[in-house]
Amino acid sequence: MSTVETAARLAFPFTALVGQPLLQRALLLVAIDPRIGGVLVSGPRGTAKSTAARALAALLPDAPFVTLPLAASLEQLVGTLNVEAVLVEGQLRLAPGLVARAHNGVLYVDEVNLLPDALVDALLDVAASGINTVERDGISQQHAARFALVGTMNPEEGELRPQLLDRFGLSVVLGNPLDPQQRLEILRTRLTFDEDPQALTALHAAQLSPLAATVVAARAVLPSLAWPDAVLQHAAALALAAGVDGMRADLVMLRAARALAALEGRNSVTPQDVDAVAELALAHRRTLEPSANDRTSDKPNGSANDNTN
């Protein structure tokens, strides 16, 4: 197999992503708890948005990676029922859609801002609930559809309507790498992968394997973690200070904070967990500017404008 063919088959190692701690954190959180509602990754061309999504799927054990085409129909997304089969076979047959194929994996939507609103709406419904309902001629059937939703967009090509933007759980804004040393590291890592993807993957195996095991363990303990009143109050206060509409931001912060506690192997959720995920949940919903204290508390591991390869 040629190097080009091997690179096409191997995903870029998740731990080899350069300068993107917030993006990596957001992706891991939705992988642990898909009910957070997915991650919207916004940035210019060439900032490795799709690379990061594929890297997440490759990290997770036996996780499918499903891409939603821009030209997809609603039936292709959610599936359809073959009512005629009742007459022939005596049973209702479900033709599964893309959300069924993505179950326990990653559903990737490039240029999500260019999709029809109805398709985005249906997709976000399933992502947040983990249940897909297929209806036809007054008959309905449900199936589990739990997946990490990753939507990407280039703002230069148009924005999402505010109603749809709000329904994405977390958001990360990428920018062009401006630091010369970081840009050099990105170039070296990317060229190494292109020349010998297996070597770079092997180099990161010692990090990838424990991280994958940590995600699996975090999923298992997630239901046992509760939110103390102090955590609920802190999330509500941050949402009020941001001037968000409705309660979705509060709920997303709480789910993300719990996923972070599980990821870090702790048995309780703290207000500090809420602080660590707050800007991921508030940035695309905020109507009021944060105070100076808020600006410094939500970026412990890099800013939302860090860049990856």
Side-chain angles (χ1 to χ4, degrees), residues 295-309:
R295 290 191 191 101
T296 57
S297 65
D298 59 70
K299 299 176 182 177
N301 292 310
S303 77
N305 288 322
D306 287 342
N307 294 279
T308 187
N309 48 327

Side-chain angles (χ1 to χ4, degrees), residues 17 20 34 39 49 71 81 83 93 112 143 158 205 232 251 269 274 280 294-296 308:
L17 294 168
Q20 279 299 348
V39 182
K49 299 183 290 293
L81 295 174
V83 179
R93 186 186 302 159
V112 65
H143 66 81
L232 299 178
L251 294 170
V269 186
V274 178
L280 292 170
D294 291 335
R295 290 191 191 101
T296 57
T308 187

Side-chain angles (χ1 to χ4, degrees), residues 39-181:
V39 182
L40 177 64
V41 188
S42 176
R45 294 181 297 274
T47 47
K49 299 183 290 293
S50 63
T51 296
R54 291 179 184 277
L56 177 67
L59 173 72
L60 305 175
D62 302 316
F65 181 84
V66 177
T67 299
L68 174 63
L70 279 179
S73 67
L74 187 59
E75 286 189 348
Q76 287 175 309
L77 176 65
V78 302
T80 185
L81 295 174
N82 187 344
V83 179
E84 291 78 8
V86 176
L87 301 176
V88 179
E89 304 170 8
Q91 62 181 11
L92 192 66
R93 186 186 302 159
L94 171 67
L98 294 172
V99 294
R101 288 173 48 196
H103 183 55
N104 289 330
V106 175
L107 181 55
Y108 174 65
V109 189
D110 192 18
E111 299 180 318
V112 65
N113 49 321
L114 303 183
L115 280 176
D117 287 356
L119 214 60
V120 180
D121 211 31
L123 176 61
L124 291 168
D125 269 344
V126 180
S129 67
I131 300 292
N132 182 44
T133 302
V134 186
E135 297 180 332
R136 183 183 167 189
D137 298 336
I139 303 173
S140 67
Q141 207 172 77
Q142 291 185 329
H143 66 81
R146 292 182 294 275
F147 49 82
L149 172 63
V150 183
T152 62
M153 58 177 278
N154 182 349
E156 295 177 357
E157 298 171 348
E159 298 286 351
L160 272 175
R161 286 197 300 112
Q163 297 91 328
L164 296 176
L165 186 63
D166 174 62
R167 298 197 60 197
F168 268 96
L170 308 176
S171 73
V172 179
V173 177
L174 306 182
N176 290 308
L178 301 178
D179 178 74
Q181 289 303 314

